């Protein structure tokens, strides 16, 4: 068990607050503009908008509303936002805009060299068997011949318990080198 020395939250209900709640005299909570209310609206804000109609049928094609939609009555939505202007960047110590597009090619020689190097394909060198691995495969072949299951189960010559498939690949690589 643990003992809490202080009350751990909530409000103690006294007989006075219980009576007020039962009689409907409890104070209304103050409205908070940042909380989203789940109550249905009691009044509808009516406003005017422009619409574009089809000249032949008269059907509404587009509603041209200059206000931003704010269905949740979010007060931060009404703050003017100037995203259409774009960010120009910061001026660095040399008086040049950082983060903004510069006129012409702003890449340096180092950047060009790095881009050129990155565009080249990577040449992957095939793995070569070491002398020690070749000796090990040769001893396995001398003892077991083509019996790969026997090679895989041999605890003295195959202490790392290489699988049958792995041993086949290694023997194939070894035999290709020794035939050439």
């Amino acid at each position: 068990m643990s003992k809490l020395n202080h009350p751990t939250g909530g409000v103690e209900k006294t007989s006075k607050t219980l009576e007020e709640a039962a009689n409907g005299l409890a104070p209304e909570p103050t409205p908070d503009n940042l909380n989203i209310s789940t109550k249905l609206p009691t009044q509808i804000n009516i406003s005017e908008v422009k619409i574009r109609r089809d000249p032949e049928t008269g059907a509404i094609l587009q509603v041209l509303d200059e206000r931003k939609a704010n269905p949740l009555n979010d007060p931060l939505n009404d703050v003017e936002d100037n995203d259409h202007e774009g960010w120009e960047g910061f001026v660095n110590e040399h008086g040049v805009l950082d983060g903004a597009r510069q006129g012409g090619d702003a890449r340096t020689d180092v950047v060009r060299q790095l881009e050129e190097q990155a565009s080249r394909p990577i040449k992957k060198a095939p793995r070569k068997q070491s002398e020690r691995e070749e000796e090990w495969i040769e001893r396995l072949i001398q003892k077991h011949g083509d019996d790969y299951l026997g090679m895989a189960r041999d605890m003295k010559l195959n202490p790392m318990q290489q699988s049958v498939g792995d041993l086949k690949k290694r023997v194939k690589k070894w035999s290709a080198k020794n035939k050439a």
Side-chain angles (χ1 to χ4, degrees):
M1 287 181 66
S2 63
K3 181 180 176 187
L4 301 173
N5 293 330
H6 300 286
T8 58
V11 177
E12 185 177 347
K13 295 181 181 179
T14 61
S15 60
K16 182 179 177 183
T17 56
L18 290 175
E19 286 176 18
E20 288 177 353
N23 295 334
L25 301 174
E28 289 287 323
T30 58
D32 187 1
N33 290 340
L34 296 178
N35 285 340
I36 298 172
S37 175
T38 57
K39 294 180 185 177
L40 293 174
T42 56
Q43 70 182 46
I44 299 173
N45 296 334
I46 299 173
S47 62
E48 292 183 16
V49 294
K50 294 180 182 179
I51 58 171
R52 201 176 86 208
R53 292 185 180 266
D54 186 12
E56 296 173 5
T57 62
I60 297 175
L61 297 176
Q62 186 178 14
V63 176
L64 305 170
D65 188 5
E66 287 141 14
R67 295 181 303 117
K68 290 184 194 174
N70 191 5
L72 299 177
N73 295 324
D74 183 11
L76 296 177
N77 199 31
D78 296 333
V79 176
E80 191 65 32
D81 195 10
N82 294 329
D83 282 343
H84 61 278
E85 293 175 3
W87 181 63
E88 292 297 323
F90 297 112
V91 177
N92 65 12
E93 65 271 7
H94 305 292
V96 179
L97 286 175
D98 289 339
R101 288 191 178 154
Q102 309 281 325
D105 191 11
R107 297 181 303 171
T108 62
D109 291 334
V110 175
V111 172
R112 282 191 204 95
Q113 289 173 1
L114 288 172
E115 287 175 350
E116 179 185 327
Q117 187 177 7
S119 67
R120 289 188 216 132
I122 298 172
K123 296 177 183 174
K124 187 175 179 183
R127 191 183 82 79
K128 298 177 182 172
Q129 287 183 336
S130 66
E131 291 179 20
R132 180 74 179 104
E133 185 177 358
E134 289 175 358
E135 292 172 10
W136 169 64
I137 294 294
E138 189 175 349
R139 279 189 271 131
L140 280 171
I141 291 173
Q142 285 174 356
K143 183 174 181 183
H144 296 284
D146 289 337
D147 182 18
Y148 294 106
L149 188 60
M151 289 182 196
R153 291 183 177 171
D154 190 345
M155 290 298 291
K156 288 188 177 178
L157 290 179
N158 187 12
M160 299 303 289
Q161 292 294 288
Q162 302 294 329
S163 68
V164 173
D166 186 45
L167 289 170
K168 282 183 183 179
K169 283 192 264 183
R170 291 173 192 254
V171 168
K172 182 179 175 184
K173 190 179 271 193
W174 176 83
S175 61
K177 182 182 177 191
N178 288 339
K179 286 182 183 177

